[in-house]
Amino acid sequence: MNPNIYPPLAEELKRNIVKIQPAAEIQPSRQWVKIMPDWYNKRQYTKWIQIYTSLDTNWIHYEYYGGYVCLHLEGEYTDKKYARQVRELKLSVKEFESEIKWLAPDSDCISCIIREEVNGTKDLIAKLARLVEIFDENIVNIFSKNTTFRELKGEYDMAAPEYRSLSEERVSIQNMGITDVFDLPLTIPDYQRIYCWENKQIEALWESLKEIQPNTPYHLGTLIMQDRNGSYEIVDGQQRLVTLSLILWGLGYTGNIPLLNQRFKDSDAIKHVRNSKAVLTTLIRDLRNNQLLATILESLKFSVIVIKGNNLDLAYTFFSNTNSKGVKLSDYDLLKAHHLRYISSEPQARHLANSWSRLTQKKEDSKENMEVENSLGNHVYRLRRLIRKDNFNEYGHYIRDEFQASPIMSDVPPFGERFDYYEPIQGGPHFFAFVEHFNEHYKSFIKLPQVIKLRDHFINRHRVYEEMAETMLFAYYLKFQSQYLSEALFCILSKLAEHRYSKVRALENQVQRYAIDSNIVQHIQFSTSPTFFLAAVLKEIQTGIMDYDITDGIRWNFYKKMCGLFSSMNDITVTEIQKRIENEF
């Protein structure tokens, strides 16, 4: 190729540079077009023209050479530390494979060309503009991020974060992101200086991190720390935090990573840290997701328990078995911590904490709720809302908020514990006794034949009506035990049936509102005998199935369930209810 064509061609490109590379307007002083000799050819017959990208480096540029327009990545961008970004760049332009072609890389350059040869100056300008259109934004997005892989070798020298108190309480619970945690002056106490994670745990944590979705909080369990008025000693969570420190460092995080300054003395711990570095080096190099660091920093969350003082046993008393992978503290964990704060006797606190753990322990591989979730979280919660005529507020930490200690007057002591479901919650032992009381009643309640039949007949379909009927029947059972329980179930379900028959669609919030307005729970509470409750509700049941023009299958199915349920009950002795069943079903 005649080298004399390059100077005029370069001048033509300079005059048209804004058409090719609009970023030239942002940096007018930059030399965006450069004519270069071929330094490997002494005669310098072969030359090429480079146009730079919007990225602030000369090692990534567009080039006209040998009749083709191409993208070149040179210098450090051909090293293994940028292999992930190069792979991401190739994937980001995969849809343009009919126009462009990646050439086999050599040791000095990674190249991608537009397949068609250049035909004249105007065609050159058009093809360069097209290459910029395909690549420029992706190049800036991918290579401008500070997420280059770091070698996990050698010593680290990072300034320790400054100490700040998170809370003045003896025990506090913080919901913290990973950057908040690493902004604390973390230390590993001498008795904890054993790092022992093997490949299996490291790889499991890595896979968990890869599952995190952007803008979606991902809870990686609980951390327990001891506030030493200068540092935060890690009581529980060392293995995860050490491994996360190495991961963040390898992904290129430039913020605080205080545990990198820790030194392990135990030979086994040193061996395991060395192995962890080797495993993570391979995992990070093979990573395809260049957004992982940003996602971790944004979404990874912990429940952080901070204990002030020197009593380590207290930390384990308050929180045990709560650091499972990806599981945040439940409302029941939070209630446990909340009410233990009201107990000054440590032996009593430990006893109640252990009892609570047994009560809330879920059977392994079981999909069933804990008993306390059904007794306290469903029935007692609903009854407290129904008796106050409050709307159901089943979002966020609604269980925690409902059963926190009620405010008191500091100079007037609380008294009069009766274990009514609607009574104010006293902080401390009263709460644990309150829960135990209703849980024991619930365990007896669900064994009753009326409850078993109710669940069997309404299983899967009409769930919201069945659950509401069961809650109201539980209130009746708490007041009158098994006396006329079948009759009470008939009255409750017949009242709820009026709503089911009158609605084509039964939305859950509408059923809840109807249950509130029905005053069934109030009738139970203010009746001194079953006769007053049954009479009051029967008086309010005005209609039956024959009063509705039911053509759809759902309402008719509900009626059939009612027929099957009450035709199987032969213990109903109240004459008026017997007649209603005969006429209705």
Side-chain angles (χ1 to χ4, degrees), residues 99-300:
E99 296 181 66
I100 61 176
K101 177 183 178 182
W102 289 94
L103 304 182
D106 58 38
S107 59
D108 300 317
C109 184
I110 299 171
S111 302
C112 182
I113 66 169
I114 286 189
R115 292 177 180 271
E116 292 184 357
E117 193 171 1
V118 171
N119 183 19
T121 303
K122 289 184 179 180
D123 188 44
L124 172 61
I125 293 170
K127 281 185 166 59
L128 282 168
R130 179 58 179 155
L131 205 61
V132 170
E133 182 183 3
I134 292 172
F135 278 104
D136 219 54
E137 184 176 352
N138 290 320
I139 287 172
V140 173
N141 288 339
I142 292 170
F143 288 95
S144 62
K145 300 170 191 150
N146 189 13
T147 55
T148 56
F149 169 70
R150 286 195 181 114
E151 289 287 345
L152 294 172
K153 295 179 180 179
E155 300 293 328
Y156 312 98
D157 186 14
M158 305 183 73
E162 293 184 2
Y163 168 81
R164 69 181 192 280
S165 177
L166 295 178
S167 174
E168 295 305 317
E169 295 184 9
R170 185 173 59 145
V171 178
S172 64
I173 309 170
Q174 316 284 333
N175 188 36
M176 301 176 72
I178 184 63
T179 56
D180 298 322
V181 172
F182 280 173
D183 282 341
L184 300 174
L186 303 178
T187 60
I188 302 172
D190 289 336
Y191 62 85
Q192 284 277 25
R193 286 180 182 259
I194 299 295
Y195 177 76
C196 58
W197 266 18
E198 302 282 358
N199 294 24
K200 182 178 179 180
Q201 292 100 330
I202 298 165
E203 291 167 358
L205 175 60
W206 178 254
E207 292 302 318
S208 297
L209 297 177
K210 287 167 63 179
E211 292 172 3
I212 301 176
Q213 298 298 315
N215 304 313
T216 304
Y218 185 91
H219 289 264
L220 199 62
T222 305
L223 305 174
I224 300 178
M225 299 181 187
Q226 192 171 11
D227 184 348
R228 288 291 197 179
N229 292 322
S231 65
Y232 288 88
E233 291 187 351
I234 301 169
V235 177
D236 188 31
Q238 178 211 155
Q239 311 293 322
R240 281 168 290 158
L241 290 180
V242 169
T243 310
L244 283 168
S245 296
L246 295 173
I247 289 173
L248 262 60
W249 180 258
L251 289 175
Y253 180 55
T254 57
N256 290 319
I257 313 180
L259 293 185
L260 293 182
N261 290 327
Q262 294 292 291
R263 299 292 179 264
F264 290 95
K265 298 177 182 178
D266 182 86
S267 59
D268 284 338
I270 294 170
K271 180 183 71 175
H272 281 100
V273 170
R274 188 180 299 121
N275 177 67
S276 182
K277 289 179 179 181
V279 172
L280 290 172
T281 295
T282 301
L283 294 174
I284 293 173
R285 282 178 179 169
D286 291 341
L287 179 66
R288 293 179 179 271
N289 179 10
N290 200 43
Q291 300 290 331
L292 182 59
L293 176 60
T295 303
I296 291 172
L297 298 179
E298 175 189 42
S299 300
L300 191 59

Side-chain angles (χ1 to χ4, degrees), residues 17-57:
I17 188 62
V18 176
K19 295 179 183 178
I20 302 170
Q21 179 52 277
E25 294 181 333
I26 302 172
Q27 303 182 45
S29 62
R30 186 171 174 186
Q31 186 179 5
W32 289 88
V33 181
K34 192 171 184 180
I35 184 168
M36 303 286 290
D38 185 345
W39 299 111
Y40 297 101
N41 188 318
K42 294 182 179 180
R43 297 185 178 181
Q44 298 186 8
Y45 282 168
T46 306
K47 299 183 179 180
W48 63 91
I49 297 174
Q50 293 178 354
I51 294 180
Y52 299 122
T53 68
S54 298
L55 202 66
D56 189 19
T57 178

Side-chain angles (χ1 to χ4, degrees), residues 356-415:
W356 182 261
S357 296
R358 288 193 295 271
L359 189 66
T360 56
Q361 188 172 13
K362 210 168 190 174
K363 292 181 180 179
E364 198 170 333
D365 300 326
S366 174
K367 295 182 179 179
E368 296 294 324
N369 288 347
M370 302 179 296
E371 283 181 351
V372 73
E373 282 185 283
N374 289 320
S375 60
L376 187 75
N378 290 335
H379 292 324
V380 178
Y381 169 78
R382 291 186 197 129
L383 290 173
R384 289 170 69 88
R385 308 297 290 188
L386 287 166
I387 197 71
R388 299 195 302 258
K389 287 187 169 291
D390 288 340
N391 287 329
F392 289 64
N393 182 28
E394 297 180 2
Y395 58 87
H397 292 292
Y398 66 97
I399 298 297
R400 179 202 63 183
D401 296 341
E402 179 65 39
F403 295 103
Q404 282 189 348
S406 299
I408 61 172
M409 305 300 294
S410 58
D411 50 351
V412 181
F415 58 89

